[in-house]
Amino acid sequence: MKLLLPDSFDDIILEDYQKFKKLDSTLGNYLDLVFSLFTKIDIEDVVNVPEKDYNEILNHIYNALQQQGEFKRLVTIDSIELGVIPDFNKITAGEYTDLVTYSSKEKDGYNPQLNRLIAVMFRPVKSKDNSNNYKIEKYNGTEEHLHLINKLPMSLVMGSLVLFFDFVEKIRKSYPKVYGGGTSEGAVALRYFEEWGFYASLYEIVSGNYFELKKLEEENIHRVHGFLSIRNHNNKLKAELMKPKK
């Protein structure tokens, strides 16, 4: 039987990678489970693989897990073309909120919501021109195309994560009045942000009004951060003015 082994993240899909990260490495048959996962040989049959072949294949698998592969902005899965967000500067507050929320679920190197995080970024392509400029479908949650995202190559997953985390870093540097820019107030803001996510900021803006919240989620993320910057600046100014004079 000829095995189709992965050579890099190009050949490893998100669903299998998640299964790999979820495996308990303290189990006595952990390596057999890894072997079975990536070779598709039933776990009961792994014992029949000659030791030399077993070791060579296992080394090949672990080497593949270290090879990043090639990032592409467009990919076709099950005859449906998907594209990563073309310009993160144009995302809505709702998209940003879900991205931040799903990205915060990682613990000990495993994020059970990784597929949903990627599903916010990779969505079906709505239109495309001859120069490969494209538009993706409007964000409406992740459920509809999650089954496609589970089949996405890890090279595209990792590449899109780089784009997202680079954008988050730029956002935090661009709006120090929101994130504090290294001040003690900023440290408090970041702890609050990590605990409740960006959703809490939106909730506060609309004073908990659900219908206004849904409208706010459609606003551009930079407009929302601009408003938060002005609000925080005004609140700080008011606090300074209210301090008793010495």
Side-chain angles (χ1 to χ4, degrees), residues 146-183:
L146 199 61
H147 64 291
L148 300 174
I149 297 301
N150 286 331
K151 298 179 182 180
L152 208 65
M154 279 305 298
S155 51
L156 275 62
V157 172
M158 300 304 286
S160 59
L161 287 175
V162 170
L163 293 177
F164 167 60
F165 287 119
D166 281 352
F167 180 68
V168 170
E169 185 64 23
K170 289 175 183 176
I171 283 283
R172 291 185 175 182
K173 288 181 178 179
S174 298
Y175 300 97
K177 286 184 171 60
V178 177
Y179 298 104
T183 64

Side-chain angles (χ1 to χ4, degrees), residues 26-227:
T26 65
L27 293 174
N29 66 339
Y30 171 72
L31 292 179
D32 287 353
L33 291 170
V34 173
F35 189 97
S36 174
L37 174 62
F38 290 110
T39 62
K40 307 307 177 187
I41 295 176
D42 290 341
I43 188 64
E44 296 84 2
D45 296 328
V46 172
V47 68
N48 298 320
V49 178
E51 183 178 359
K52 182 175 181 294
D53 293 339
Y54 176 90
N55 290 332
E56 288 180 356
I57 291 171
L58 204 56
N59 285 334
H60 186 98
I61 291 169
Y62 273 98
N63 183 62
L65 288 165
Q66 304 301 317
Q67 308 304 314
Q68 293 301 309
E70 180 185 1
F71 176 66
K72 300 175 183 176
R73 288 183 167 269
L74 295 167
V75 63
T76 299
I77 306 289
D78 292 347
S79 302
I80 297 178
E81 189 169 35
L82 303 174
V84 74
I85 293 171
D87 185 353
F88 277 82
N89 287 303
K90 295 181 179 180
I91 66 174
T92 64
E95 288 171 282
Y96 186 77
T97 299
D98 282 356
L99 284 167
V100 170
T101 300
Y102 291 138
S103 68
S104 69
K105 303 302 180 182
E106 182 172 334
K107 184 178 180 181
D108 298 328
Y110 173 67
N111 185 345
Q113 299 293 326
L114 179 59
N115 56 348
R116 293 191 181 276
L117 170 59
I118 303 304
V120 181
M121 290 187 275
F122 266 97
R123 305 204 288 274
V125 172
K126 184 171 64 174
S127 62
K128 185 174 66 172
D129 63 23
N130 293 331
S131 300
N132 266 353
N133 298 308
Y134 61 92
K135 294 181 180 179
I136 57 178
E137 290 184 356
K138 182 179 178 181
Y139 182 58
N140 189 32
T142 62
E143 200 63 41
E144 283 189 14
H145 62 289
L146 199 61
H147 64 291
L148 300 174
I149 297 301
N150 286 331
K151 298 179 182 180
L152 208 65
M154 279 305 298
S155 51
L156 275 62
V157 172
M158 300 304 286
S160 59
L161 287 175
V162 170
L163 293 177
F164 167 60
F165 287 119
D166 281 352
F167 180 68
V168 170
E169 185 64 23
K170 289 175 183 176
I171 283 283
R172 291 185 175 182
K173 288 181 178 179
S174 298
Y175 300 97
K177 286 184 171 60
V178 177
Y179 298 104
T183 64
S184 58
E185 293 89 348
V188 172
L190 282 176
R191 284 197 295 272
Y192 177 77
F193 185 83
E194 289 166 359
E195 181 175 1
W196 297 104
F198 195 71
Y199 185 83
S201 297
L202 303 186
Y203 185 87
E204 184 183 353
I205 291 173
V206 299
S207 302
N209 186 306
Y210 174 81
F211 297 103
E212 292 300 318
L213 178 62
K214 301 311 289 183
K215 291 180 184 178
L216 184 59
E217 287 177 348
E218 295 298 319
E219 287 287 340
N220 176 269
I221 190 58
H222 286 291
R223 286 175 60 87
V224 173
H225 273 89
F227 174 84

